[in-house]
Amino acid sequence: HSKEEVDTILSDLEKAKYKVVDVKKGERKRNPAPPFTTSTLQQDASRKLNFALKKTMSVAQTLYEGVKLPEIGDTGLITYMRTDSTRISDEARAAAKEHIINVYGESYYENRFYKTKSEAQDAHEAIRPSHIELTPESIKDSLTPDQYKLYRLIYNRFMASQMASAIYDTVTVSIDGNEYNFKANGQTMKFKGYMTLYVENEEKEEFEKIPELTIGEEVKKEEIEAKQSFTEPPARYTEASLVKTLEEKGIGRPSTYAPTITTILLRRYIEKVQKQLMPTDLGRVVNKLLIENFGDVINVEFTAQIE
């Protein structure tokens, strides 16, 4: 609660002897994400490729309409890109199985089904490559750099969705020092599984590798750090996080996420500063007027119900 309290603990720790009191070993599995829907494609392309929503949709449209490939001609490369379903066809499932087993081996394949959200309309399949045999590398020369990046993202996410889990060896160590207890967690990858192809942003965190320790073993203190932290306000929306929120609250359809955000940018109600979306003075005034005069219409629940 105070600096004095911290100082007392620090001086106790300076003269403490440190001993390993518990070592727990285990295994942890990490499962792949489902194939893309419109909103997850927009979020991932924003995070990984730095594409604006509008750009993602226009590049996806060209992949869907078709690209001229040598000896094949005009070929549609992805399924319809406005969808809220994670369902995939039996043919695509079978083709993915064959490809994964041929390229990576039997142990990398797992037949997976994903549950589509209850409010989804499920009119179209998930976004996936139309022809599994057309790998991103094999047609790279026929694509623009942006088409290649987006196609590779869609292709790898779909293939990963039908692959085995990644497996980690985990270890949790408990260390006592002068009545104080410290814990350390570590993990090392044992089997890459789907991560051979596709890693989600939040999966990139680095884990400490903890050396082999046994119960009763003495360890030595390198340094002790005291930190004061403060509660941070929530981060401003990015295009990706705003799409996620719209979807969670049931506002809009896969076809309207990008146009909605593009419209409020064009009307200068918001502006983009680096990746963050900030309300402008005009936006604040318009919002205030609308809420004061049309509060029963300008609200999240009403919009979601109308949808």
Side-chain angles (χ1 to χ4, degrees), residues 15-30:
K15 43 187 186 275
K17 277 198 162 66
Y18 295 90
K19 193 177 270 189
V20 177
V21 289
D22 194 21
V23 179
K24 280 197 184 83
K25 290 186 176 180
E27 198 177 81
R28 177 167 165 254
K29 280 187 173 180
R30 199 159 208 167

Side-chain angles (χ1 to χ4, degrees), residues 250 252-253 296-297 299-307:
R253 302 282 316 127
D296 51 345
V297 177
N299 72 60
V300 171
E301 289 75 20
F302 177 79
T303 309
Q305 279 181 314
I306 286 287
E307 295 283 2

Side-chain angles (χ1 to χ4, degrees), residues 16-302:
K17 277 198 162 66
Y18 295 90
K19 193 177 270 189
V20 177
V21 289
D22 194 21
V23 179
K24 280 197 184 83
K25 290 186 176 180
E27 198 177 81
R28 177 167 165 254
K29 280 187 173 180
R30 199 159 208 167
N31 297 324
F36 282 130
T37 60
T38 304
S39 78
T40 53
L41 175 64
Q42 290 172 344
Q43 289 169 53
D44 235 39
S46 171
R47 280 196 300 257
K48 290 195 170 130
L49 308 177
N50 222 357
F51 281 12
L53 302 188
K54 196 175 173 184
K55 178 176 178 176
T56 299
M57 294 315 283
S58 69
V59 174
Q61 184 82 38
T62 64
L63 294 173
Y64 170 68
E65 286 172 359
V67 171
K68 202 181 255 347
L69 299 177
E71 295 171 29
I72 308 176
D74 286 337
T75 309
L77 294 176
I78 62 168
T79 54
Y80 193 54
M81 63 285 152
R82 293 186 183 94
T83 177
D84 52 11
S85 174
T86 52
R87 176 174 54 80
I88 56 172
S89 70
D90 292 341
E91 294 84 350
R93 195 177 287 285
K97 176 180 181 177
E98 191 183 337
H99 181 84
I100 292 163
I101 291 171
N102 286 343
V103 176
Y104 302 99
E106 193 89 43
S107 61
Y108 279 83
Y109 172 72
E110 188 166 328
N111 187 17
R112 293 179 183 277
F113 292 84
Y114 296 94
K115 202 171 169 205
T116 293
K117 288 181 181 162
S118 56
E119 62 273 15
Q121 292 189 2
D122 202 22
H124 301 278
E125 274 187 77
I127 305 169
R128 61 164 176 86
S130 311
H131 307 279
I132 304 298
E133 69 279 7
L134 297 177
T135 62
E137 295 310 317
S138 69
I139 59 169
K140 188 175 183 179
D141 294 344
S142 305
L143 304 177
T144 66
D146 285 344
Q147 284 175 328
Y148 168 71
K149 284 179 196 163
L150 195 65
Y151 182 60
R152 188 176 62 177
L153 194 71
I154 293 166
Y155 189 96
N156 288 353
R157 168 94 164 211
F158 168 69
M159 296 307 287
S161 77
Q162 294 299 298
M163 289 174 83
S165 307
I167 301 171
Y168 293 91
D169 280 329
T170 62
V171 60
T172 302
V173 178
S174 190
I175 294 167
D176 274 359
N178 210 356
E179 292 174 35
Y180 298 101
N181 181 258
F182 294 87
K183 271 197 166 56
N185 297 305
Q187 62 180 31
T188 47
M189 189 169 275
K190 183 174 169 180
F191 176 63
K192 254 188 145 173
Y194 77 92
M195 284 191 173
T196 313
L197 262 188
Y198 181 87
V199 178
E200 282 194 82
N201 264 25
E202 57 272 20
E203 291 171 338
K204 282 187 175 165
E205 68 251 48
E206 288 298 313
F207 288 94
E208 292 293 323
K209 283 194 176 152
I210 293 178
E212 274 298 322
L213 293 168
T214 52
I215 293 174
E217 187 177 345
E218 275 202 20
V219 290
K220 74 171 196 286
K221 166 183 70 68
E222 291 272 309
E223 64 173 315
I224 288 173
E225 193 181 354
K227 262 191 193 155
Q228 185 176 19
S229 58
F230 297 93
T231 310
E232 295 286 327
R236 286 191 186 275
Y237 283 120
T238 60
E239 287 194 352
S241 64
L242 186 51
V243 165
K244 190 178 181 189
T245 304
L246 289 175
E247 188 183 32
E248 281 169 357
K249 293 189 182 296
I251 301 172
R253 302 282 316 127
S255 56
T256 61
Y257 300 137
T260 300
I261 294 173
T262 305
T263 302
I264 57 175
L265 275 163
L266 282 172
R267 291 190 183 157
R268 308 225 171 114
Y269 297 153
I270 60 169
E271 59 186 348
K272 221 191 226 178
V273 179
Q274 285 152 338
K275 270 189 163 186
Q276 295 188 322
L277 302 175
M278 323 263 270
T280 59
D281 288 344
L282 172 65
R284 288 176 201 274
V285 170
V286 169
N287 185 59
K288 186 167 180 281
L289 281 170
L290 288 172
I291 285 171
E292 282 172 2
N293 295 288
F294 306 97
D296 51 345
V297 177
I298 304 293
N299 72 60
V300 171
E301 289 75 20
F302 177 79

